[in-house]
Amino acid sequence: CGKEYTDYELLSEIIKDKIFYDTSHGGVTFSGGEPFCQAEALVPIAEVIKENGKHLMIYTGYLLEHLQKMENAGVQRLLELADVIVDGKFVEELKDLSIRFRGSSNQRIIMVKESLEKGEVVLWDEKSQR
C-alpha cells in the first residue's frame, strides 16, 4: 500500500515536515522497497538531507560487504552519504523484540563512515552512544 513518488515529490514531503527543521531531531531513515535498488533516485534526496546537517540511516537487506562490491555509482554514493545502515535480511526464526532498531538478531547496525575509513565493519555500540 505504498505510493510512488518522484524524487522531487519525496524530497518535498520530507522537508515540509516541521520535524525536519527541529535541531533536536536526528534525521531521516530510508527503508522499504530496498533503498539500494533505488540508489540513483535516492542520492539527490540524501544529498539535501546531509546538506541540512541531518543524520541518514538506511535499512537494507544487503550486507555492507555486498554493497561495497557493487559496481554501481549510485550505490557507492548512497553508502558515502549514509551515517548508519542496518544490514541483513529479516529472518523470522531470529526475530528478537528486545534488540534496538532491528527485527532479527542477524541484522547489524553499522557505522558507515567509520567502516569505509577502516576498511572493515564497525558496529554501532549502543553503550557508547548514550
Side-chain angles (χ1 to χ4, degrees):
C1 303
K3 180 180 176 196
E4 288 190 26
Y5 288 90
T6 66
D7 54 354
Y8 178 79
E9 290 169 333
L10 183 57
L11 184 58
S12 294
E13 287 295 313
I14 292 168
I15 63 175
K16 80 178 183 184
D17 191 320
K18 64 182 177 189
I19 246 175
F20 186 76
Y21 298 99
D22 181 352
T23 56
S24 66
H25 187 267
V28 175
T29 301
F30 293 163
S31 67
E34 184 49 61
F36 286 99
C37 287
Q38 306 172 63
E40 290 82 9
L42 290 174
V43 164
I45 297 165
E47 288 175 338
V48 171
I49 290 165
K50 297 308 296 176
E51 287 167 7
N52 280 275
K54 297 298 180 183
H55 182 268
L56 178 60
M57 182 175 193
I58 303 174
Y59 283 80
T60 178
Y62 292 110
L63 296 177
L64 174 62
E65 295 87 347
H66 183 86
L67 292 168
Q68 289 178 298
K69 291 178 184 174
M70 288 183 178
E71 294 182 13
N72 179 306
V75 167
Q76 299 311 312
R77 179 66 179 143
L78 192 56
L79 264 179
E80 291 170 3
L81 292 165
D83 294 294
V84 174
I85 66 169
V86 174
D87 79 342
K89 294 182 179 183
F90 170 77
V91 177
E92 182 67 37
E93 296 79 28
L94 299 174
K95 183 177 179 179
D96 185 346
L97 299 179
S98 70
I99 55 177
R100 294 185 71 192
F101 308 117
R102 295 162 285 167
S104 58
S105 61
N106 63 298
Q107 295 172 307
R108 306 178 294 181
I109 304 174
I110 299 172
M111 306 299 295
V112 179
K113 292 182 186 342
E114 294 86 343
S115 296
L116 296 177
E117 288 170 6
K118 286 189 168 189
E120 62 184 45
V121 173
V122 176
L123 297 177
W124 176 71
D125 179 5
E126 181 177 358
K127 293 176 184 121
S128 69
Q129 300 297 316
R130 290 184 180 172

